[in-house]
Amino acid sequence: MSPKTLYDKIWDAHVAHEAEDGTCLLYIDRHLVHEVTSPQAFEGLRMAGRKVHAPEKTIAVPDHNVPTTLDRAKGIENEESRIQVEALDKNAKEFGVHYYPVDDVRQGIVHIVGPEQGWTLPGMTVVCGDSHTATHGAFGALAHGIGTSEVEHVLATQTLIQKKSKNMKVEITGKLKPGVTAKDITLAVIGETGTAGGTGYVIEYCGEAIRDLSMEGRMTVCNMAIEGGARAGLIAPDETTFEYVKGRPHAPKGAQWEAALNWWKTLYTDEGAHFDKVITLKAEDIQPVVTWGTSPEDVLPITGVVPHPEDFTGGKVEAARRSIEYMGLTPGQKLTDIEIDTVFIGSCTNGRIEDLRAVADVVRGKKIKEGLRAMIVPGSGLVRAQAEEEGLAEIFEAAGFEWRLAGCSMCLAMNPDQLAPGERCAATSNRNFEGRQGYKGRTHLVSPAMAAAAALTGKLTDVRELM
Amino acid sequence: MEKFTKIQGVAAPMPLVNIDTDMIIPKVFLKSIQRTGFGKNLFDEMRYNRDGTEIEDFVLNKPQYRNAEILIAGDNFGCGSSREHAPWAIADFGIKCIVSTSFADIFFNNSFKNGILPIVLPQEQVDILMADAEKGENARMTVDLEAQEITTSDGDVIKFDVDPFKKHCLLNGLDDIGLTLEKADSIKTFEAKAAQERPWV
Ligand code: SF4
């Protein structure tokens, strides 16, 4: 048999039907659902008199619209947001899928809840009507975002019409330097490839620096595969993965665990397997990075300066000009001279316990810059509970952070957590698009440690100087 | 789904690269639980001032492009989120075809499911169409899906590729779910086999 990549293996194990032209029906093991992209899909089922094909493989949780303030039990003030969440409550019940409502301690961002509850397992196919489904690739699961028509298709048939993508390898050799994190890796890769560099590919991340990452860090890396344009990002499962999965509520137990483990251990890229594109970065070369513009590819080391539009070529010249103007920056300005108004720590990129520990390590015993707005939004109710148990919440509150309930929050600002026009934010989320965090709001993407450093100084800051 | 066979219409030029889904339809409009009515908010933040008045020099606000049915766009169109609200807004506005050098994967798939034809062409050909679109209202282009051809207002013909299955579905306005349910037996067989091999799933 010819050698296969990890992607080839998972793909082959899930093809339910293949047409002559190569169009496949890919079987879906887990379907995650949230309130924004699903109402029209459930409505479609209802209108066609269809039911959910496999409700036991479908997991729903509201996250995008939910308030994250402590008084959210009062209900959702914005009427349209409330209607969406209520629609999910109703659809989950009517169609009999697994559900974590707003008042359940396990509620949180769908991509944090799935792994936390053991729904996401190695070798699975996982989809969700959300582009950051790529996160689950950290387990060696083939995971990607789909549109609402496809949500309806998966609900009705438990399959997706797909053509196979190409294979791309991103290898990070060697070891990371202190102060450099998974977030810097994933941003550095996008800086290297551009936001369209992965289009048409499934990326497998590998190399020593990736192996050395915890599951939390691996999820951060895979989360942003989509910002690099890839359909999905994957990391081969290993002991770190098995250790994380073991004992989770929906992970296999007993004899099934052993059987699963046997199969999971075969999930790696065979020696000599073909990749259509290969990118290699040295971990030592990666520095703490920030974005200066309005595309995730606008990445520079924190030691850099705002570029000139003329540094670019083609359509990017105009895009860079527009970005710099939108961001209110001056070419040549040092990145560390950029003052910020707000710090947002959270999201499916960086809302896990390890991210919060990294923040606590920087701000312990210190105070954030006076007048700055800084919020920490844990990725799930369980992350919040654990942070409280570990004493992190006290550190945050003493430093002056707002300590919130779980949700997407200011990552996309569909709930009341928004930037005002012109307000500048250091954010641990994944998108710095125009208006992403609020109309005319300005976003600089950073790691949790860098966000914490910025909160202390009120400027974009090289966290290594505070270490 | 509405069929797509051939259109002849005005093409609007949008040379900006990396036009993302937040630009196409900002998230404040994602709160609807309907599929329709998004057209008036297409490109909302680029198209309107905060007070709701139109920004005159935005391309779709110019008299000659208000009824555009084709969009000629810069690289990596539709990057960002998986929101199908983006193609819903585009279709609701009346745009049926988008041409670019590249599209984001999810957006590309979503377009076909909403009767929109996204066409990928090399830079030189996109440049030709962009220049043609710049001419405004009188420069009507023709997009013929059956023949896989775009004809410029000057009569130049540009061939394009399209996935045969997706072409078939667009031409006939076919609903994916209905097609897949015809293969229900394959799905059942797969499930039985998977339950044996991977019972923990
Ligand atoms: S945290 Fe942000 S990126 Fe993640 S699912 Fe929520 S809105 Fe999307």
Side-chain angles (χ1 to χ4, degrees):
Chain A
M1 242 178 6
S2 60
K4 289 182 178 184
T5 64
L6 172 58
Y7 170 50
D8 298 340
K9 289 181 182 178
I10 304 175
W11 174 272
D12 290 350
H14 289 87
V15 175
H17 182 272
E18 181 163 0
E20 272 166 29
D21 69 348
T23 305
C24 291
L25 274 186
L26 195 68
Y27 193 82
I28 302 303
D29 293 326
R30 290 287 179 267
H31 185 191
L32 309 173
V33 174
H34 67 68
E35 80 278 18
V36 180
T37 53
S38 67
Q40 293 88 349
F42 282 113
E43 190 56 27
L45 289 187
R46 219 175 267 124
M47 276 158 52
R50 290 172 177 142
K51 53 186 187 36
V52 174
H53 181 87
E56 72 286 0
K57 293 173 180 167
T58 311
I59 298 98
V61 59
D63 54 6
H64 284 58
N65 278 284
V66 301
T68 60
T69 43
L70 299 181
D71 60 354
R72 82 172 171 203
K74 286 200 322 243
I76 303 178
E77 218 168 278
N78 179 291
E79 195 189 336
E80 291 165 309
S81 293
R82 196 182 63 240
I83 290 173
Q84 272 194 343
V85 173
E86 284 171 359
L88 188 62
D89 289 341
K90 174 170 164 267
N91 287 330
K93 202 160 155 207
E94 181 180 331
F95 289 94
V97 307
H98 296 280
Y99 191 48
Y100 302 102
V102 179
D103 60 3
D104 190 311
V105 68
R106 297 166 297 179
Q107 178 271 343
I109 305 168
V110 64
H111 308 307
I112 293 197
V113 173
E116 201 167 69
Q117 293 299 318
W119 290 116
T120 308
L121 300 172
M124 280 184 164
T125 44
V126 181
V127 295
C128 173
D130 191 283
S131 53
H132 291 99
T133 311
T135 313
H136 308 265
F139 291 81
L142 177 59
H144 57 85
I146 54 178
T148 298
S149 296
E150 290 174 319
V151 170
E152 187 180 336
H153 191 276
V154 177
L155 288 171
T157 70
Q158 206 58 27
T159 64
L160 202 57
I161 300 175
Q162 287 274 293
K163 269 204 172 154
K164 201 172 169 203
S165 305
K166 289 179 284 183
N167 280 288
M168 171 166 169
K169 173 159 100 169
V170 172
E171 185 175 18
I172 316 290
T173 60
K175 294 209 177 286
L176 290 175
K177 294 246 176 77
V180 184
T181 67
K183 182 65 166 286
D184 301 299
I185 296 183
T186 202
L187 282 171
V189 171
I190 298 161
E192 181 77 20
T193 61
T195 49
T199 305
Y201 295 94
V202 165
I203 296 176
E204 181 176 346
Y205 298 95
C206 60
E208 185 183 356
I210 299 289
R211 286 278 139 244
D212 283 351
L213 293 175
S214 64
M215 283 318 291
E216 282 85 353
R218 294 179 190 187
M219 284 189 254
T220 301
V221 170
C222 290
N223 175 274
M224 291 192 73
I226 185 72
E227 270 67 43
R231 174 164 292 174
L234 283 170
I235 295 175
D238 59 11
E239 285 307 320
T240 307
T241 323
F242 308 144
E243 186 66 27
Y244 179 98
V245 167
K246 195 165 188 181
R248 304 243 156 212
H250 297 279
K253 315 249 152 30
Q256 294 227 339
W257 170 261
E258 295 305 326
L261 202 57
N262 278 336
W263 188 57
W264 295 345
K265 287 184 173 166
T266 68
L267 298 175
Y268 52 82
T269 291
D270 296 330
E271 192 78 45
H274 175 72
F275 284 96
D276 304 279
K277 185 168 176 178
V278 178
I279 304 272
T280 309
L281 295 184
K282 285 195 202 135
E284 309 85 87
D285 292 347
I286 301 176
Q287 298 188 49
V289 291
V290 300
T291 59
W292 53 268
T294 55
S295 166
E297 71 192 14
D298 300 337
V299 174
L300 281 174
I302 181 67
T303 49
V305 299
V306 176
H308 288 267
E310 296 75 37
D311 298 346
F312 301 92
T313 53
K316 188 72 190 172
V317 178
E318 186 46 38
R321 196 185 319 274
R322 188 184 161 93
S323 280
I324 291 169
E325 190 189 313
Y326 180 89
M327 293 296 287
L329 301 173
T330 320
Q333 181 181 10
K334 280 170 75 175
L335 295 173
T336 46
D337 284 344
I338 298 174
E339 293 192 11
I340 52 159
D341 312 298
T342 299
V343 169
F344 168 66
I345 294 167
S347 87
C348 58
T349 318
N350 285 124
R352 284 168 287 268
I353 190 69
E354 186 176 283
D355 302 312
L356 303 190
R357 289 184 194 135
V359 173
D361 285 344
V362 176
V363 305
R364 187 175 281 111
K366 300 191 177 127
K367 286 249 182 286
I368 64 169
K369 169 95 178 179
E370 222 183 282
L372 193 89
R373 166 158 78 134
M375 64 168 92
I376 302 184
V377 186
S380 73
L382 291 176
V383 169
R384 182 177 156 93
Q386 189 175 353
E388 293 187 338
E389 211 177 284
E390 293 182 15
L392 307 183
E394 283 162 41
I395 297 172
F396 300 148
E397 285 180 319
F401 284 96
E402 286 179 59
W403 175 235
R404 294 294 191 91
L405 301 182
C408 293
S409 180
M410 208 192 259
C411 174
L412 94 166
M414 265 187 92
N415 75 350
D417 306 335
Q418 303 188 3
L419 294 182
E423 203 176 339
R424 187 183 297 284
C425 179
T428 65
S429 45
N430 44 47
R431 289 202 172 127
N432 51 354
F433 297 157
E434 288 181 20
R436 171 76 176 184
Q437 295 195 282
Y439 180 73
K440 298 273 180 214
R442 294 163 171 163
T443 303
H444 296 277
L445 301 177
V446 289
S447 74
M450 288 281 284
L456 295 180
T457 63
K459 288 196 263 186
L460 295 180
T461 299
D462 190 340
V463 65
R464 292 171 297 192
E465 286 170 11
L466 303 183
M467 283 166 39
Chain B
M1 196 176 74
E2 223 179 290
K3 290 182 189 175
F4 184 116
T5 45
K6 187 173 179 175
I7 53 170
Q8 189 185 35
V10 171
M14 281 192 85
L16 199 64
V17 300
N18 295 333
I19 292 180
D20 60 63
T21 52
D22 284 69
M23 288 180 184
I24 298 172
I25 183 91
K27 75 220 147 225
V28 282
F29 304 108
L30 306 192
K31 294 188 175 179
S32 163
I33 57 172
Q34 317 289 330
R35 265 177 206 259
T36 50
F38 295 100
K40 60 180 183 298
N41 304 111
L42 174 69
F43 295 117
D44 196 83
E45 289 179 4
M46 302 162 92
R47 196 163 145 208
Y48 303 107
N49 292 303
R50 271 265 118 155
D51 62 9
T53 55
E54 290 185 358
I55 298 175
E56 266 175 46
D57 60 1
F58 179 67
V59 58
L60 296 180
N61 287 337
K62 294 184 184 166
Q64 65 269 39
Y65 296 117
R66 297 187 87 93
N67 298 315
E69 290 179 77
I70 303 164
L71 209 57
I72 315 293
D75 308 343
N76 199 25
F77 188 89
C79 59
S81 86
S82 64
R83 65 186 67 157
E84 199 156 320
H85 311 68
W88 291 339
I90 289 171
D92 198 48
F93 179 90
I95 289 171
K96 301 189 178 77
C97 173
I98 309 168
V99 180
S100 175
T101 53
S102 58
F103 291 87
D105 189 42
I106 303 176
F107 177 86
F108 190 76
N109 280 326
N110 281 343
S111 295
F112 283 100
K113 306 210 186 296
N114 292 282
I116 302 168
L117 172 65
I119 298 176
V120 180
L121 289 175
Q123 187 71 55
E124 314 83 71
Q125 295 185 327
V126 173
D127 290 345
I128 294 172
L129 295 174
M130 193 71 78
D132 198 39
E134 303 278 0
K135 293 183 196 159
E137 195 157 28
N138 301 324
R140 295 186 152 248
M141 278 181 208
T142 308
V143 180
D144 183 341
L145 176 57
E146 179 66 60
Q148 298 183 213
E149 282 176 1
I150 304 178
T151 311
T152 68
S153 62
D154 296 332
D156 291 337
V157 174
I158 294 176
K159 285 272 182 193
F160 61 86
D161 278 339
V162 58
D163 177 276
F165 175 72
K166 292 191 162 107
K167 176 177 175 180
H168 174 72
C169 289
L170 265 189
L171 282 175
N172 298 292
L174 292 177
D175 156 32
D176 280 353
I177 298 180
L179 287 174
T180 298
L181 288 174
E182 288 173 10
K183 306 195 184 86
D185 286 345
S186 307
I187 300 174
K188 260 205 210 106
T189 312
F190 178 88
E191 283 178 324
K193 188 171 123 250
Q196 295 270 314
E197 290 171 3
R198 298 190 295 276
W200 61 85
V201 169

